[in-house]
Amino acid sequence: MTLFKKVIRSMLEHKARYIGSMLLLTISSMMFVMTNNTSMNLERTFTAFSEQNVLSDAEFSVDTDIDIATVSEKFAVKVELGGTADCEVNPGQTLRVFSMMNTVNIPAVQEGSLPGASEIMLDRLFAETNGYEIGDTITVANKDFTVSGYSLLPNFIYVVKSKEVMMNDPNTFGVGVVGKADFNTLPDRNQVYALRFNERENIKSQETAVKNELRSQGIRITSWQSTDKKINVSYVPMEVSVLSAVSAAVPLVMLSLTCVLLGMLMWRMIKGESVLIGTFYAQGYRRKDLRRHYLMFPLLVSVIGTAIGSILGIFLTDVMFNFMVTAFPMPVHETIYNNWLIVFAFLLPIIVLCGVTWVIIGRIIKMPPAILMKGGETKNKTNFIERNLRLDRLKFNRKFQIREQVRSLSRSFFLLFGVVVATMLILYGFTMKSSVDYLLNEGIKELYDFNYEYVFTEQKTGTPPAGTEQFGAAYMSLVDNDDISFYVTGVLPDTERIRLKDISGKTLKPEQNTITVPLAQKLHMGVGDRMTVFDTENGEKHTFIIERVADTYAGEFMFMPLDRFNAEFGLPLDAYIGIWSDEPMTFSQGEIHSTKSIDAIVAGFGSLIDQMGPMIYGLIFAAFIVGLIIIYIVTGLVVDESRASISLMKVFGYRKKEINQLILGSNTIIVVLGYLLGIPALLGTVGAFYQSLTESLQLIMPVKLNVWYMLLGLVVVMITYEFAKLMCRKKVARIPMSEALKAGAE
C-alpha cells in the first residue's frame, strides 16, 4: 500500500507527463476501435445489401432485344431488362428515373412503399432537400407522380450524376424509381440489361463469355459497364479500404510514440530513484516487489488511456457509421461491435507498455543494493557524437544548446519522432489538396483544349461538323491482367485539342504511340516496352509498342495517330467515334452514347476541394494537440533534468529571458529537423496510400505538396513549439536558487 501511494504521488507530481501519455493512448485506441468497427459495419452493410437486393455484376445496352431465358439458362445468370431516363423536374434540376426491378438490382424501401401506378420513390436526401414528403406530388416529364416512399438502389449507392461530378448536390440531382409501365412512357429513356452470375468466381471471364455469345448472334453491344468500375458502387469498397488503412497506421504510430515516451520516462525515473531503490532493498523489499511497484506506472497509464479511448471509439462508431450511410445510402438493420477487437485494443497497449517497462526495470534492479545506494553506476563517458563535435569556435549559448541535445539522445530521438508524426498529420490534408489542384490545373486543364466531348453510339465517317475535331477510341484490357483497362485514343497528328509534353516540359505531338504517366505507372512499362491487350468490345487482341511517355495525370490513355488507329482496328481511314467541340451541340435521340463537359469536371474537383476544408482543419488541430503533448513533455524533461543548472544560472545572475533561451530553446534544431524529415516521410506514405487505392479510384493521383503549404506547416509547428515553451516557463520560474546548494551538498 505504501508503494502504491508513492505511485499516485509521483504521477500527481509529474501529471503533465502521464496525462500526455494517456491522451496519446486514448487517441490511438479510439481511432483503432472507431475506424475498424466502422469499416466492418460498412463492409457488412454493403455485402448484405448487394446479396439481398441482388446487385448486378454488369449493366449493358444492345441494339436489339435479347432472349433473356436462353442467356440465363446457358450462363447460369440472372438477367432483367430495366433502364434509366434523365428528366428535368425544375430548371437546372435533374431526376434520374430508374425502372422498377424485380430480379436484379432490386430497390430497397427506406420508408413508405414500392411504387404503384403513377407513383414514384425518391432518394431521401433529394426529397428532403427539395421539400417532397411521402404523399406529395412531383411532376416528372409532364406527368404527375405521387411520392410513395424513399428508395435505396444497390447499383446507385453513391448518388452522383457522373464520375466527373464527384460530389452529390441534392439541389440539382436526385434519383427516383417508377413501375415498368410508367417508365415506358418516359421520353429519352435508355433500356439497360442488368445481370448477376450465380457462380461468384471469375466474374470477368464470365462477362467475356456472355459478350462473345451476344456478338456471335449478331447483337451489337452499344455499352457495357462492369459494376466494379462504376463509381456509384465502387466508392463504397474504396472507403472500406481507406478506413482499414487508417485503422492500421494511426493507432500503431500513436502506440509507438507512447512506448518511446513512457519507456524514456520510466528509464529516467528509475535511474533518478536508484538511491531510493537501494534504500527499499535495505528495508527488506524484494525485487519482485520493486518490479511490481514500477509496473504500476505503465499499467495505470495504459488502463486509463485505453479504457477512455475504447469507450469513445464505441460511441463515435455510431456517429461515423451514420455519417457514412448518409454519404452512401444503404439499408441498416443494426450497428454491431467486434468485442474481440475492443479487447485487443484494450490489451495490446497494456502488454506492450508493461513489457517495455519490465525490460527497463530488470536492467536497474540487477545492480547490487550497495551500488544503488551510492547513486548507481555512474558513466562519465561522453557518447560518440559529443566526442566528435568541434564546438570550440561557437559561442557559449550555442554550445550549451547543442550539448543539451547530444547528451540525451533518447530524449532528442523521441522529440524528433514526435515532430515527424505531427508534421505528417499537419501536411496530409495539404498534400491531398495540392495533389487534386495539380491534377486539375496541370492535368485536366493543361491536357484538354476543348469544352465538350461527344461520343456517338456507332462509328461515323466523313467530315465532322464544322468547328469540331474527330477522334477514335477503344477500351482495352491487358491480356495478362484484365483488371487493368484503359482507352486507346486515335487523334489527328497535328491536333491542338490534346496538349502533351514530356517530363522536361517539351511539347509532344501524338505522332507516335504515347502513353500517359499514370498508365505507365500502372503497367510498370516505359518507352520501348511491348504490351498485348484485347478489345473489351469484341475480344480481339492487339499488340502495341510504347514509343513515348507524356507527363500528364489527366487519365490513363494511349494516344496514337487517327489513321494508324483506324488501320489497327480495321476501320475506314476517315472513321471516328466522337468529336471535340468548344460549343454545346444537339443531336437526334439515340445518336449520342455519352457526353463529357470539361467545366463539369472542373466544378466536380472544385467541390471536392471545398469538401476537404473541414478535414484539413481537423488534421491541423489534431496535429497541434499531438505535437503540443510531445514537445511539452520533452521540454518538461529538459527542465527537470536541468534543475541544478537553472538554479546555478540564477545564482550567477542570468536573467529569465536568457535562462529560457538556453534551456527551453535548446530543442529548436530538433524541431526544425523533425519538420524537414517529416516532409519526405509524408510524401512516401501518401504515395503508397494513393497506389493502394489506384484500382478503386480508377485513376492515379500525383503526390504533390505546394511550397506555400510547406511554409504554412512550418509556421504551425513552430507555433506549437513556442506554445509548449510558454507553458514550461512557469516550471523554470519556480526552481529556487537553493537547488544548486542542495545539488552540491549531495
Side-chain angles (χ1 to χ4, degrees):
M1 189 64 185
T2 303
L3 290 180
F4 182 74
K5 289 181 180 179
K6 177 186 172 298
V7 172
I8 302 300
R9 189 167 59 251
S10 298
M11 294 184 72
L12 290 175
E13 185 180 352
H14 302 286
K15 51 183 174 291
R17 302 177 182 179
Y18 298 103
I19 291 175
S21 301
M22 290 177 191
L23 283 174
L24 290 176
L25 282 177
T26 297
I27 294 171
S28 65
S29 55
M30 180 191 71
M31 289 289 295
F32 184 80
V33 171
M34 179 183 66
T35 53
N36 272 290
N37 275 313
T38 302
S39 64
M40 178 188 66
N41 277 281
L42 191 62
E43 185 175 21
R44 171 178 171 271
T45 302
F46 175 66
T47 302
F49 191 26
S50 302
E51 293 176 354
Q52 293 172 10
N53 294 75
V54 198
L55 173 64
S56 61
D57 292 315
E59 296 175 348
F60 64 95
S61 300
V62 291
D63 61 350
T64 185
D65 294 337
I66 66 173
D67 188 341
I68 292 178
T70 302
V71 173
S72 300
E73 182 179 356
K74 184 171 183 178
F75 294 99
V77 61
K78 296 181 180 68
V79 185
E80 185 175 4
L81 176 62
T84 63
D86 282 0
C87 304
E88 187 176 67
V89 179
N90 294 306
Q93 188 181 74
T94 300
L95 185 69
R96 181 163 296 172
V97 182
F98 287 77
S99 173
M100 181 67 195
M101 305 285 277
N102 303 303
T103 306
V104 185
N105 292 334
I106 304 170
V109 180
Q110 190 174 21
E111 186 179 340
S113 61
L114 292 171
S118 298
E119 291 184 337
I120 187 171
M121 284 198 303
L122 301 175
D123 74 88
R124 181 186 286 274
L125 188 59
F126 176 82
E128 292 180 346
T129 301
N130 296 282
Y132 295 109
E133 297 181 355
I134 296 176
D136 289 351
T137 300
I138 181 174
T139 302
V140 180
N142 298 320
K143 180 178 179 180
D144 290 338
F145 289 87
T146 302
V147 179
S148 66
Y150 301 134
S151 64
L152 299 168
L153 296 175
N155 62 324
F156 217 82
I157 297 173
Y158 186 47
V159 183
V160 290
K161 189 174 183 180
S162 65
K163 67 179 182 180
E164 289 81 20
V165 176
M166 300 190 73
M167 302 297 294
N168 180 29
D169 181 4
N171 290 299
T172 60
F173 181 75
V175 172
V177 179
V178 299
K180 290 184 182 293
D182 286 323
F183 177 79
N184 290 330
T185 66
L186 297 177
D188 298 329
R189 63 187 180 276
N190 297 314
Q191 288 192 322
V192 179
Y193 288 92
L195 60 83
R196 179 182 173 92
F197 297 100
N198 298 332
E199 175 60 45
R200 305 308 301 155
E201 301 291 334
N202 302 318
I203 300 297
K204 287 291 184 184
S205 59
Q206 293 185 75
E207 287 184 41
T208 302
V210 172
K211 287 189 281 188
N212 290 337
E213 174 64 23
L214 294 177
R215 293 189 185 101
S216 69
Q217 297 176 12
I219 298 174
R220 188 171 65 85
I221 301 173
T222 56
S223 70
W224 185 286
Q225 184 173 41
S226 299
T227 301
D228 61 352
K229 301 294 185 183
K230 186 177 181 180
I231 65 166
N232 307 98
V233 179
S234 63
Y235 268 28
V236 181
M238 181 202 73
E239 194 65 37
V240 172
S241 300
V242 171
L243 289 173
S244 298
V246 170
S247 65
V250 175
L252 286 177
V253 171
M254 291 295 182
L255 182 59
S256 300
L257 276 171
T258 311
C259 285
V260 176
L261 169 62
L262 207 57
M264 187 173 64
L265 291 177
M266 293 307 299
W267 176 253
R268 279 170 164 71
M269 184 181 71
I270 295 170
K271 283 185 67 178
E273 294 185 355
S274 59
V275 175
L276 188 58
I277 294 173
T279 305
F280 283 148
Y281 271 137
Q283 291 177 344
Y285 285 97
R286 294 169 295 178
R287 287 185 177 181
K288 66 177 183 180
D289 297 325
L290 297 174
R291 193 186 295 271
R292 189 185 306 119
H293 164 65
Y294 285 107
L295 281 174
M296 288 300 298
F297 288 91
L299 186 63
L300 286 174
V301 169
S302 55
V303 167
I304 295 173
T306 53
I308 295 174
S310 298
I311 293 170
L312 287 174
I314 293 171
F315 173 74
L316 290 175
T317 294
D318 271 334
V319 178
M320 188 172 183
F321 181 55
N322 288 334
F323 171 77
M324 297 304 298
V325 294
T326 301
F328 306 108
M330 293 181 287
V332 179
H333 303 291
E334 62 176 341
T335 304
I336 63 172
Y337 302 95
N338 188 331
N339 294 327
W340 288 109
L341 197 70
I342 298 171
V343 171
F344 178 78
F346 183 76
L347 291 180
L348 180 63
I350 296 175
I351 294 171
V352 173
L353 291 174
C354 289
V356 170
T357 307
W358 180 281
V359 173
I360 293 171
I361 295 170
R363 295 184 61 182
I364 296 293
I365 63 177
K366 284 180 181 178
M367 299 181 192
I371 294 178
L372 289 171
M373 293 184 71
K374 293 178 181 179
E377 295 177 347
T378 57
K379 296 182 179 179
N380 297 320
K381 294 181 179 179
T382 57
N383 59 50
F384 71 97
I385 296 179
E386 188 175 357
R387 285 198 305 270
N388 290 288
L389 286 176
R390 298 292 180 264
L391 306 176
D392 299 335
R393 296 183 179 180
L394 298 179
K395 293 182 179 180
F396 169 75
N397 288 6
R398 185 60 61 194
K399 285 192 289 186
F400 182 89
Q401 291 175 338
I402 294 174
R403 286 197 173 110
E404 276 294 308
Q405 300 304 315
V406 299
R407 285 180 178 176
S408 183
L409 293 178
S410 60
R411 188 179 67 202
S412 299
F413 170 76
F414 173 70
L415 178 60
L416 184 71
F417 183 44
V419 174
V420 167
V421 173
T423 299
M424 293 173 69
L425 285 173
I426 290 172
L427 295 180
Y428 177 72
F430 288 140
T431 303
M432 289 191 67
K433 188 176 185 306
S434 295
S435 299
V436 174
D437 285 339
Y438 183 87
L439 180 65
L440 180 62
N441 298 317
E442 301 297 327
I444 296 171
K445 290 182 179 179
E446 184 70 22
L447 177 65
Y448 300 128
D449 188 20
F450 56 85
N451 295 325
Y452 299 94
E453 176 185 279
Y454 298 97
V455 178
F456 300 106
T457 54
E458 57 185 16
Q459 297 284 342
K460 291 184 174 292
T461 56
T463 303
T468 67
E469 184 176 303
Q470 71 272 37
F471 67 91
Y475 197 57
M476 316 300 291
S477 294
L478 276 186
V479 170
D480 298 334
N481 184 2
D482 61 4
D483 287 333
I484 298 179
S485 302
F486 58 94
Y487 277 102
V488 175
T489 305
V491 298
L492 299 179
D494 58 349
T495 181
E496 298 293 334
R497 301 288 189 174
I498 297 294
R499 296 173 295 198
L500 302 174
K501 61 182 180 180
D502 59 18
I503 298 176
S504 63
K506 181 181 177 181
T507 301
L508 294 177
K509 287 293 184 180
E511 301 168 339
Q512 296 175 298
N513 295 342
T514 306
I515 66 173
T516 58
V517 167
L519 182 57
Q521 292 177 0
K522 181 176 281 190
L523 297 174
H524 302 291
M525 292 183 179
V527 175
D529 290 333
R530 182 187 302 266
M531 60 178 174
T532 302
V533 296
F534 67 91
D535 193 330
T536 57
E537 288 297 316
N538 53 35
E540 293 182 359
K541 292 184 179 180
H542 301 270
T543 299
F544 299 103
I545 297 175
I546 300 171
E547 297 172 306
R548 287 177 177 175
V549 176
D551 185 25
T552 177
Y553 281 86
E556 298 165 10
F557 300 103
M558 186 178 86
F559 296 100
M560 61 192 306
L562 182 58
D563 55 353
R564 184 190 295 184
F565 175 91
N566 288 332
E568 177 69 31
F569 290 92
L571 300 171
L573 290 180
D574 59 348
Y576 58 92
I577 193 62
I579 57 173
W580 292 315
S581 171
D582 291 326
E583 302 296 332
M585 304 180 69
T586 56
F587 299 89
S588 58
Q589 182 178 347
E591 188 177 1
I592 294 297
H593 174 265
S594 66
T595 301
K596 179 190 293 184
S597 169
I598 301 301
D599 290 338
I601 296 175
V602 172
F605 275 103
S607 177
L608 179 63
I609 292 172
D610 292 339
Q611 293 289 330
M612 286 182 180
M615 181 196 71
I616 293 173
Y617 299 136
L619 283 172
I620 291 175
F621 179 75
F624 177 81
I625 297 299
V626 172
L628 184 61
I629 291 171
I630 294 167
I631 296 173
Y632 177 73
I633 290 174
V634 175
T635 307
L637 280 175
V638 173
V639 174
D640 289 339
E641 294 176 1
S642 305
R643 291 178 67 87
S645 299
I646 294 171
S647 177
L648 199 58
M649 288 178 186
K650 290 183 177 181
V651 172
F652 287 158
Y654 280 80
R655 290 173 295 179
K656 288 183 179 180
K657 184 177 180 181
E658 293 173 323
I659 296 174
N660 289 333
Q661 184 179 1
L662 284 170
I663 302 300
L664 302 180
S666 62
N667 294 317
T668 305
I669 299 174
I670 300 297
V671 172
V672 174
L673 180 60
Y675 181 79
L676 295 176
L677 291 176
I679 293 175
L682 169 72
L683 296 179
T685 304
V686 171
F689 179 62
Y690 285 175
Q691 190 65 36
S692 68
L693 296 179
T694 296
E695 290 302 321
S696 300
L697 289 171
Q698 300 178 40
L699 56 85
I700 290 181
M701 290 279 286
V703 182
K704 300 292 180 181
L705 181 57
N706 190 292
V707 174
W708 292 109
Y709 290 149
M710 292 185 192
L711 295 176
L712 180 59
L714 179 60
V715 170
V716 173
V717 169
M718 296 310 295
I719 289 175
T720 308
Y721 176 49
E722 292 299 325
F723 194 68
K725 285 165 57 179
L726 185 64
M727 294 169 64
C728 286
R729 285 181 182 177
K730 291 183 179 180
K731 295 184 69 174
V732 175
R734 286 196 297 263
I735 297 175
M737 288 188 285
S738 60
E739 193 79 24
L741 299 176
K742 291 179 182 179
E746 291 175 359

